[in-house]
Amino acid sequence: MAWTRTYDGPEPVRINKWLGQSGVCSRREADGLIAEGLVSIDGATVTDAGRKIAPGETLTLNDAATRALDAGFTLMLHKPVGYVSGQPEPDKIPAVRLLTAVNAQDGSADIAADASVPPIGRLDEDSRGLLLFSTDGVVAKAVIGPESDLPKEYLVRVAGDVTDAKLALLRRGLSLDGRMLRPAEVTQLKPRRLRFILREGRNRQIRRMCELVGLEVTDLKRIRIGPVGLGDLPEGQWRMLTPDERAKLIG
């Protein structure tokens, strides 16, 4: 079914920008739909990727465009230790190999054969927990785009003495690679168990933060990305995100 909406903004805006801000698709996807002649304004097909839509004009994505967008999907994997998120070195195992029917909690078919399903964000080889994969550009932007502010929650076990002074530094006061880190929520759950909530994702950030205060991470598990939690998904298994989870993620 075609998608139609009338633009009610205060001034003209590029079509791809408006569609991206509306959560319909990414800017790149919008440019592709325009190039294929699948977008119209007030009944006239749009041919210029730089075209702006003016207040009161109505944009329509035809049936083929909506089918193409609906084909995108997002899934979550409970990644075990020993698997890498992205393209691996020859001796490493990519987490995408776990996306088989045997490991699907919801009865989905194999996805590992589809090499174009990218991970959205990273989770180190020696870390475990929630890892998202998606062919949905809007979801990717919401999770790892430059304006993303989604909190990511981790349960961390450390070796070493956790003191109030160390917790204060972890929360606010550390820098990595010459740049100050954004404030973090760090809570002590047990003598050597911590909960981290971050709104950025530097390379091996939590492990490096702990090293700076004399702690060694012995286990790290991501349990939440924004409103999407790992829940009771068993380690090594995966499932598709629901439409409601997607809506909350991009909202």
Side-chain angles (χ1 to χ4, degrees):
M1 179 179 295
W3 180 92
T4 299
R5 183 177 298 178
T6 299
Y7 176 60
D8 59 0
E11 57 187 28
V13 64
R14 284 179 63 122
I15 292 172
N16 62 2
K17 181 178 181 179
W18 180 49
L19 289 175
Q21 292 174 336
S22 301
V24 177
C25 61
S26 68
R27 294 192 188 189
R28 180 175 297 178
E29 288 171 327
D31 290 341
L33 297 176
I34 291 171
E36 294 178 26
L38 306 181
V39 181
S40 62
I41 290 180
D42 290 344
T45 299
V46 176
T47 58
D48 177 11
R51 168 73 186 275
K52 294 184 177 182
I53 185 169
E57 291 184 329
T58 298
L59 183 143
T60 299
L61 303 178
N62 69 20
D63 292 346
T66 55
R67 285 196 299 270
L69 294 177
D70 288 343
F73 62 87
T74 302
L75 62 90
M76 67 162 67
L77 167 71
H78 187 161
K79 186 189 87 67
V81 170
Y83 292 82
V84 296
S85 301
Q87 292 296 323
E89 298 175 11
D91 59 339
K92 303 296 183 180
I93 307 172
V96 70
R97 291 188 186 175
L98 293 170
L99 305 183
T100 64
V102 172
N103 295 330
Q105 187 187 53
D106 55 5
S108 298
D110 289 357
I111 292 184
D114 183 352
S116 64
V117 184
I120 306 302
R122 299 187 304 269
L123 195 58
D124 298 330
E125 180 181 8
D126 45 1
S127 300
R128 59 195 179 100
L130 177 58
L131 179 62
L132 297 179
F133 291 80
S134 185
T135 61
D136 186 327
V138 176
V139 169
K141 178 182 176 182
V143 177
I144 60 173
E147 298 178 0
S148 176
D149 194 45
L150 289 178
K152 299 175 179 66
E153 185 173 351
Y154 304 80
L155 299 180
V156 182
R157 185 173 65 231
V158 298
D161 293 329
V162 179
T163 65
D164 289 342
K166 291 179 180 180
L167 289 173
L169 284 171
L170 290 170
R171 291 168 182 150
R172 185 190 296 265
L174 297 177
S175 63
L176 291 176
D177 305 319
R179 291 190 295 138
M180 287 297 298
L181 294 171
R182 298 176 64 178
E185 298 178 43
V186 185
T187 307
Q188 185 172 5
L189 304 176
K190 294 181 180 180
R192 290 181 174 80
R193 299 292 182 98
L194 305 175
R195 182 193 308 274
F196 279 72
I197 299 179
L198 306 180
R199 291 182 179 270
E200 61 184 331
R202 306 277 189 92
N203 183 38
R204 299 178 65 83
Q205 180 171 336
I206 292 176
R207 295 179 186 277
R208 296 167 68 196
M209 290 172 68
C210 288
E211 287 174 2
L212 289 174
V213 299
L215 300 174
E216 178 188 0
V217 172
T218 58
D219 184 55
L220 190 154
K221 180 181 181 181
R222 182 161 64 198
I223 62 170
R224 179 171 65 89
I225 296 176
V228 176
L230 186 62
D232 59 359
L233 183 67
E235 190 168 290
Q237 292 193 15
W238 63 277
R239 68 168 177 83
M240 292 290 184
L241 257 62
T242 66
D244 183 60
E245 286 174 324
R246 179 190 183 274
K248 290 178 179 178
L249 195 60
I250 67 175

